[in-house]
Amino acid sequence: MEKIINLNEGVLKALKFLSDQKLPKLNLEKLRYPLVVGSGNAYNTAQIIFSNQKAVIASESNFKKVIKNYKNVIKEVVVISASGEKDSIWEIELAKKNKFKTILLTCEKNSSASKIADEVYVFPKISEPYTYNISTYLGMILAYTKEKPENILSHIKKIKFFNNFNKFKSYSFVLPDEFTFITQMLDIKKSELFGPLLSVRAFSFGEARHAKFVIRDKNELVITLGKEKNKYFGEEKSRWQVSLPDKASFATIMALTYYIIGKIQE
């Protein structure tokens, strides 16, 4: 039976792979007012990719209601689905039934959704454990931010881990406010990799200020990314400040935090 790699190994593997790939050129600025839908981290990827333009973001749970409420406002429907299967199929069918142009972002050119969407962007991916989805959404985010995977890989390899990193009983991430969408991706990874077995939390600086660290424990490592110093969250001796390269954007933050979570998993 093939050995399942840890998430940190998957990050390195994905970055090396994407360094040699030509990503599709996203031309989403042309969209006037799209409704964008995705499930799980596809939803969070949607928030990242459309963070600088007018759009309505929906999930599989509220898509039917949102498309009904906004049908006189939206112009196109964008579906993000790594597999191009499951919910993406009925979402495209419903959008077409309402006479909207459909655009699919996927990693499977021969998927069921790819065959019925009006326009398809296909992103490269590698084989990964079911719950990882590193290369899939990382590729989409890289196409948006235009960061270089090799630079991200180089920065990750320079990270020096906190003393006794593997001895803590819980871990929390505090990210710069502009990367708040990544915190939701980390929350999903917590559920997928650890379930009820280990506490892994993630907040933006703004969220962290709202009573997230009222209860402190020296056994919780608080991992802060970026230049803003953590002066308040967690026990002082259990705070780890992780530097970011200049002009770091969403792909760097995603890869770096996934890598650290992989080390927790390891």
Side-chain angles (χ1 to χ4, degrees):
M1 200 172 172
E2 187 177 349
K3 178 181 177 292
I4 297 177
I5 62 174
N6 289 321
L7 191 68
N8 54 306
E9 299 172 90
V11 168
L12 300 180
K13 190 175 178 182
L15 286 168
K16 289 176 183 176
F17 168 74
L18 291 169
S19 296
D20 297 325
Q21 299 300 309
K22 186 175 181 180
L23 300 175
K25 290 185 178 180
L26 292 176
N27 189 22
L28 303 175
E29 296 85 359
K30 67 180 180 180
L31 304 180
R32 293 163 290 177
Y33 195 179
L35 167 55
V36 190
V37 60
S39 301
N41 273 332
Y43 174 86
N44 298 318
T45 300
Q47 293 193 97
I48 291 169
I49 293 176
F50 288 88
S51 58
N52 286 322
Q53 68 186 90
K54 185 167 60 176
V56 181
I57 313 295
S59 70
E60 77 288 348
S61 299
N62 67 354
F63 180 65
K64 291 178 182 178
K65 183 174 182 179
V66 172
I67 201 171
K68 181 180 179 181
N69 290 347
Y70 284 85
K71 65 180 180 181
N72 294 324
V73 179
I74 61 175
K75 304 299 180 182
E76 305 93 359
V77 172
V78 179
V79 178
I80 300 180
S81 171
S83 68
E85 301 293 344
K86 296 173 282 190
D87 291 297
S88 63
I89 304 168
W90 70 261
E91 289 164 351
I92 291 176
E93 290 174 342
L94 180 59
K96 292 175 80 72
K97 182 179 179 180
N98 282 273
K99 304 189 184 307
F100 292 116
K101 178 182 178 180
T102 55
I103 301 163
L104 174 67
L105 276 62
T106 187
C107 297
E108 298 290 350
K109 66 178 181 179
N110 295 318
S111 67
S112 301
S114 297
K115 294 174 183 177
I116 58 175
D118 297 314
E119 187 177 339
V120 181
Y121 290 86
V122 180
F123 293 83
K125 69 160 190 173
I126 53 176
S127 178
E128 297 168 330
Y130 177 68
T131 58
Y132 285 12
N133 262 335
I134 308 164
S135 61
T136 51
Y137 298 126
L138 183 58
M140 295 180 190
I141 294 170
L142 283 166
Y144 168 67
T145 65
K146 297 180 173 56
E147 296 164 89
K148 294 186 179 298
E150 56 270 27
N151 292 346
I152 300 173
L153 184 60
S154 176
H155 182 76
I156 285 176
K157 288 183 176 180
K158 295 176 185 176
I159 297 295
K160 292 183 179 180
F161 275 77
F162 194 83
N163 190 38
N164 292 323
F165 172 82
N166 62 337
K167 301 297 183 182
F168 289 88
K169 295 181 179 179
S170 60
Y171 301 82
S172 287
F173 291 85
V174 179
L175 308 185
D177 286 328
E178 60 266 35
F179 301 119
T180 185
F181 300 133
I182 298 293
T183 66
Q184 298 166 37
M185 300 182 85
L186 302 183
D187 191 63
I188 288 175
K189 278 290 157 280
K190 171 196 71 177
S191 297
E192 291 176 335
L193 300 185
F194 306 116
L197 302 179
L198 183 71
S199 172
V200 177
R201 306 188 297 157
F203 312 102
S204 67
F205 261 94
E207 292 169 332
R209 289 195 296 270
H210 291 272
K212 302 301 189 296
F213 292 93
V214 171
I215 300 173
R216 294 183 175 186
D217 186 349
K218 66 180 181 179
N219 294 308
E220 177 187 43
L221 180 63
V222 180
I223 307 162
T224 306
L225 272 64
K227 294 180 180 179
E228 185 174 355
K229 297 297 182 183
N230 173 14
K231 299 178 182 179
Y232 309 106
F233 313 132
E235 290 292 338
E236 191 170 353
K237 292 183 179 180
S238 301
R239 298 173 187 166
W240 177 27
Q241 194 83 24
V242 180
S243 65
L244 294 174
D246 293 338
K247 298 181 180 179
S249 192
F250 288 102
T252 298
I253 308 301
M254 174 189 170
L256 178 54
T257 51
Y258 271 32
Y259 182 79
I260 294 172
I261 285 181
K263 284 292 186 179
I264 296 170
Q265 180 188 20
E266 186 177 84

